[in-house]
Amino acid sequence: MRKVLLVDDDEDILRFLKVHFESRDFQVILAKNGESALILAQKEKPDLVLLDMNMPLMPGWVTARELKKHILGTANIPLIAVTALTSADDENAARNAGCDDFVSKPIDVDKLFEAVNRLLD
């Protein structure tokens, strides 16, 4: 069973994503902020991380850089930015921070899982 770490400060988004990933036989780990994401990624070794870019305390850009630098990069674990910030500059910033793909909110589940399948296959 593949393991996904979902990181978002919005409980509704986490519940929404959790349902969709569990229905596709993923084990789901939830984090509400970047600091928790760093700890959980180190402990749980997920196969994939979905990360909100606009979070308090530790913004997604910072979290992505830290995850890729210290945890995900060495294991080549994909990281998908999930954000309401949808400009080309926002997508470039996410990719520069280490994100492998970019999905905008509101989340189109079909597009999300196209990205997931592309990165995990």
Side-chain angles (χ1 to χ4, degrees):
M1 178 179 288
R2 290 189 168 173
K3 194 182 299 188
V4 63
L5 172 59
L6 306 175
V7 187
D8 202 303
D9 60 317
D10 185 319
E11 297 264 348
D12 292 331
I13 300 274
L14 286 176
R15 275 194 297 276
F16 172 82
L17 290 170
K18 183 176 191 272
V19 165
H20 285 285
F21 275 93
E22 286 180 341
S23 74
R24 288 164 174 85
D25 294 324
F26 279 81
Q27 178 183 349
V28 176
I29 305 149
L30 303 176
K32 295 180 184 177
N33 59 57
E35 291 174 358
S36 294
L38 294 173
I39 293 165
L40 288 169
Q42 180 74 38
K43 178 182 173 190
E44 298 288 339
K45 308 289 190 246
D47 299 298
L48 172 71
V49 176
L50 266 71
L51 175 65
D52 181 22
M53 292 289 106
N54 190 20
M55 294 185 296
L57 305 176
M58 180 184 285
W61 319 107
V62 174
T63 305
R65 277 191 205 99
E66 291 299 307
L67 282 168
K68 278 296 186 167
K69 182 177 177 183
H70 298 291
I71 301 164
L72 306 180
T74 57
N76 201 28
I77 297 167
L79 175 59
I80 299 176
V82 181
T83 183
L85 307 172
T86 59
S87 75
D89 288 341
D90 295 320
E91 183 172 353
N92 287 335
R95 290 189 188 277
N96 288 337
C99 296
D100 300 291
D101 212 328
F102 184 91
V103 175
S104 60
K105 291 178 183 177
I107 297 167
D108 178 322
V109 174
D110 291 332
K111 286 183 182 179
L112 170 62
F113 280 95
E114 284 175 18
V116 168
N117 292 332
R118 186 173 51 253
L119 290 168
L120 290 179
D121 287 341

